[in-house]
Amino acid sequence: AVVSTQSTGLKPKFLEKQRSGGALLAILEGLKKDLGVDKPTNFEDCVKWARLLFEQNFHNVIAQLLYNFPADQKTSSGALFWSGPKRCPAPINFDINNDEHVNFVVAAANLRAYNFCIPSNRDRDFIRECVSRVSVPTFTPRSGVKIAVTEAEAEAQNNHEDDDVGTADKILNELNSN
């Protein structure tokens, strides 16, 4: 079903394509969060968001993966899971003195600021100061997280999109009513 997307700026064809790919619910949940409780009001909010994004992408996701598949995990045939083309990853701890880590925060914060019409800032000392004030929650692994190991499992997970259609439509209606 094509729905009104006036207030969100999303095009109906884009929504339909995401719906058929199984990504619609995740996109709309993120959009609802970004336009609601996580909507930045100043550049410092953008820095906080960028720092937490670093933590999520480069530490927490990898730590969760290693929780589900530890370095010494073996397959049903007895071979090490992390072998061949699958190399065991390591979570990255943010280091305020590492230029690459700070560059990520600078870039992500400025992209977010641009998206919300907030003036940009590339002053690394200011951004480092903002980052030092961000409270980063300690990672706690979640049990029961299903991670697809094969292409078939990934496809099966994406085929549950019909379950999410009602929830996606509800979120889109909420976004359109604001």
Side-chain angles (χ1 to χ4, degrees), residues 156-168:
Q157 285 178 355
N158 284 340
N159 285 338
H160 293 294
E161 64 193 48
D162 290 340
D163 302 340
D164 299 336
V165 171
T167 305

PDB file of all heavy atoms in Angstrom, residues 156-168:
ATOM      1  N   ALA A 156      15.810 -16.071   4.949  1.00  0.00           N
ATOM      2  CA  ALA A 156      14.675 -16.466   5.787  1.00  0.00           C
ATOM      3  C   ALA A 156      14.323 -15.352   6.776  1.00  0.00           C
ATOM      4  O   ALA A 156      13.143 -15.087   7.020  1.00  0.00           O
ATOM      5  CB  ALA A 156      14.994 -17.755   6.535  1.00  0.00           C
ATOM      6  N   GLN A 157      15.333 -14.675   7.327  1.00  0.00           N
ATOM      7  CA  GLN A 157      15.075 -13.568   8.250  1.00  0.00           C
ATOM      8  C   GLN A 157      14.378 -12.415   7.529  1.00  0.00           C
ATOM      9  O   GLN A 157      13.497 -11.775   8.083  1.00  0.00           O
ATOM     10  CB  GLN A 157      16.380 -13.079   8.891  1.00  0.00           C
ATOM     11  CG  GLN A 157      16.904 -14.016   9.944  1.00  0.00           C
ATOM     12  CD  GLN A 157      18.224 -13.538  10.538  1.00  0.00           C
ATOM     13  OE1 GLN A 157      18.801 -12.553  10.116  1.00  0.00           O
ATOM     14  NE2 GLN A 157      18.706 -14.278  11.525  1.00  0.00           N
ATOM     15  N   ASN A 158      14.780 -12.142   6.291  1.00  0.00           N
ATOM     16  CA  ASN A 158      14.156 -11.060   5.520  1.00  0.00           C
ATOM     17  C   ASN A 158      12.733 -11.392   5.094  1.00  0.00           C
ATOM     18  O   ASN A 158      11.955 -10.494   4.797  1.00  0.00           O
ATOM     19  CB  ASN A 158      14.998 -10.723   4.280  1.00  0.00           C
ATOM     20  CG  ASN A 158      16.220  -9.917   4.629  1.00  0.00           C
ATOM     21  OD1 ASN A 158      16.281  -9.286   5.690  1.00  0.00           O
ATOM     22  ND2 ASN A 158      17.211  -9.942   3.769  1.00  0.00           N
ATOM     23  N   ASN A 159      12.385 -12.657   5.065  1.00  0.00           N
ATOM     24  CA  ASN A 159      11.048 -13.053   4.631  1.00  0.00           C
ATOM     25  C   ASN A 159       9.987 -12.864   5.702  1.00  0.00           C
ATOM     26  O   ASN A 159       8.828 -13.155   5.479  1.00  0.00           O
ATOM     27  CB  ASN A 159      11.046 -14.505   4.134  1.00  0.00           C
ATOM     28  CG  ASN A 159      11.683 -14.623   2.773  1.00  0.00           C
ATOM     29  OD1 ASN A 159      11.769 -13.647   2.029  1.00  0.00           O
ATOM     30  ND2 ASN A 159      12.152 -15.810   2.443  1.00  0.00           N
ATOM     31  N   HIS A 160      10.358 -12.368   6.869  1.00  0.00           N
ATOM     32  CA  HIS A 160       9.392 -12.100   7.933  1.00  0.00           C
ATOM     33  C   HIS A 160       8.846 -10.689   7.839  1.00  0.00           C
ATOM     34  O   HIS A 160       8.242 -10.189   8.769  1.00  0.00           O
ATOM     35  CB  HIS A 160      10.018 -12.347   9.309  1.00  0.00           C
ATOM     36  CG  HIS A 160      10.339 -13.780   9.568  1.00  0.00           C
ATOM     37  ND1 HIS A 160       9.368 -14.740   9.684  1.00  0.00           N
ATOM     38  CD2 HIS A 160      11.514 -14.423   9.700  1.00  0.00           C
ATOM     39  CE1 HIS A 160       9.938 -15.911   9.891  1.00  0.00           C
ATOM     40  NE2 HIS A 160      11.243 -15.745   9.902  1.00  0.00           N
ATOM     41  N   GLU A 161       9.027 -10.052   6.669  1.00  0.00           N
ATOM     42  CA  GLU A 161       8.618  -8.656   6.514  1.00  0.00           C
ATOM     43  C   GLU A 161       7.122  -8.456   6.664  1.00  0.00           C
ATOM     44  O   GLU A 161       6.689  -7.390   7.103  1.00  0.00           O
ATOM     45  CB  GLU A 161       9.093  -8.113   5.167  1.00  0.00           C
ATOM     46  CG  GLU A 161       8.454  -8.830   3.991  1.00  0.00           C
ATOM     47  CD  GLU A 161       9.138  -8.510   2.685  1.00  0.00           C
ATOM     48  OE1 GLU A 161      10.362  -8.576   2.629  1.00  0.00           O
ATOM     49  OE2 GLU A 161       8.423  -8.191   1.725  1.00  0.00           O
ATOM     50  N   ASP A 162       6.308  -9.448   6.351  1.00  0.00           N
ATOM     51  CA  ASP A 162       4.863  -9.295   6.482  1.00  0.00           C
ATOM     52  C   ASP A 162       4.464  -9.043   7.933  1.00  0.00           C
ATOM     53  O   ASP A 162       3.505  -8.340   8.200  1.00  0.00           O
ATOM     54  CB  ASP A 162       4.136 -10.533   5.950  1.00  0.00           C
ATOM     55  CG  ASP A 162       4.225 -10.651   4.434  1.00  0.00           C
ATOM     56  OD1 ASP A 162       4.494  -9.611   3.786  1.00  0.00           O
ATOM     57  OD2 ASP A 162       4.044 -11.752   3.919  1.00  0.00           O
ATOM     58  N   ASP A 163       5.231  -9.616   8.871  1.00  0.00           N
ATOM     59  CA  ASP A 163       4.952  -9.398  10.282  1.00  0.00           C
ATOM     60  C   ASP A 163       5.142  -7.937  10.673  1.00  0.00           C
ATOM     61  O   ASP A 163       4.519  -7.440  11.599  1.00  0.00           O
ATOM     62  CB  ASP A 163       5.889 -10.253  11.156  1.00  0.00           C
ATOM     63  CG  ASP A 163       5.781 -11.742  10.854  1.00  0.00           C
ATOM     64  OD1 ASP A 163       4.753 -12.155  10.272  1.00  0.00           O
ATOM     65  OD2 ASP A 163       6.712 -12.475  11.193  1.00  0.00           O
ATOM     66  N   ASP A 164       6.023  -7.245   9.947  1.00  0.00           N
ATOM     67  CA  ASP A 164       6.381  -5.874  10.286  1.00  0.00           C
ATOM     68  C   ASP A 164       5.547  -4.821   9.573  1.00  0.00           C
ATOM     69  O   ASP A 164       5.648  -3.642   9.887  1.00  0.00           O
ATOM     70  CB  ASP A 164       7.854  -5.631   9.955  1.00  0.00           C
ATOM     71  CG  ASP A 164       8.792  -6.536  10.744  1.00  0.00           C
ATOM     72  OD1 ASP A 164       8.381  -6.992  11.833  1.00  0.00           O
ATOM     73  OD2 ASP A 164       9.909  -6.780  10.283  1.00  0.00           O
ATOM     74  N   VAL A 165       4.727  -5.222   8.597  1.00  0.00           N
ATOM     75  CA  VAL A 165       3.973  -4.261   7.793  1.00  0.00           C
ATOM     76  C   VAL A 165       3.037  -3.410   8.646  1.00  0.00           C
ATOM     77  O   VAL A 165       3.007  -2.187   8.521  1.00  0.00           O
ATOM     78  CB  VAL A 165       3.192  -4.974   6.660  1.00  0.00           C
ATOM     79  CG1 VAL A 165       2.235  -4.019   5.967  1.00  0.00           C
ATOM     80  CG2 VAL A 165       4.162  -5.558   5.655  1.00  0.00           C
ATOM     81  N   GLY A 166       2.292  -4.028   9.549  1.00  0.00           N
ATOM     82  CA  GLY A 166       1.367  -3.284  10.398  1.00  0.00           C
ATOM     83  C   GLY A 166       2.095  -2.292  11.285  1.00  0.00           C
ATOM     84  O   GLY A 166       1.679  -1.139  11.428  1.00  0.00           O
ATOM     85  N   THR A 167       3.206  -2.719  11.864  1.00  0.00           N
ATOM     86  CA  THR A 167       4.000  -1.833  12.713  1.00  0.00           C
ATOM     87  C   THR A 167       4.571  -0.684  11.889  1.00  0.00           C
ATOM     88  O   THR A 167       4.556   0.474  12.329  1.00  0.00           O
ATOM     89  CB  THR A 167       5.146  -2.609  13.393  1.00  0.00           C
ATOM     90  OG1 THR A 167       4.594  -3.723  14.090  1.00  0.00           O
ATOM     91  CG2 THR A 167       5.910  -1.742  14.357  1.00  0.00           C
ATOM     92  N   ALA A 168       5.060  -0.977  10.701  1.00  0.00           N
ATOM     93  CA  ALA A 168       5.620   0.065   9.829  1.00  0.00           C
ATOM     94  C   ALA A 168       4.547   1.071   9.447  1.00  0.00           C
ATOM     95  O   ALA A 168       4.787   2.287   9.477  1.00  0.00           O
ATOM     96  CB  ALA A 168       6.240  -0.570   8.581  1.00  0.00           C
TER      97      ALA A 168
END
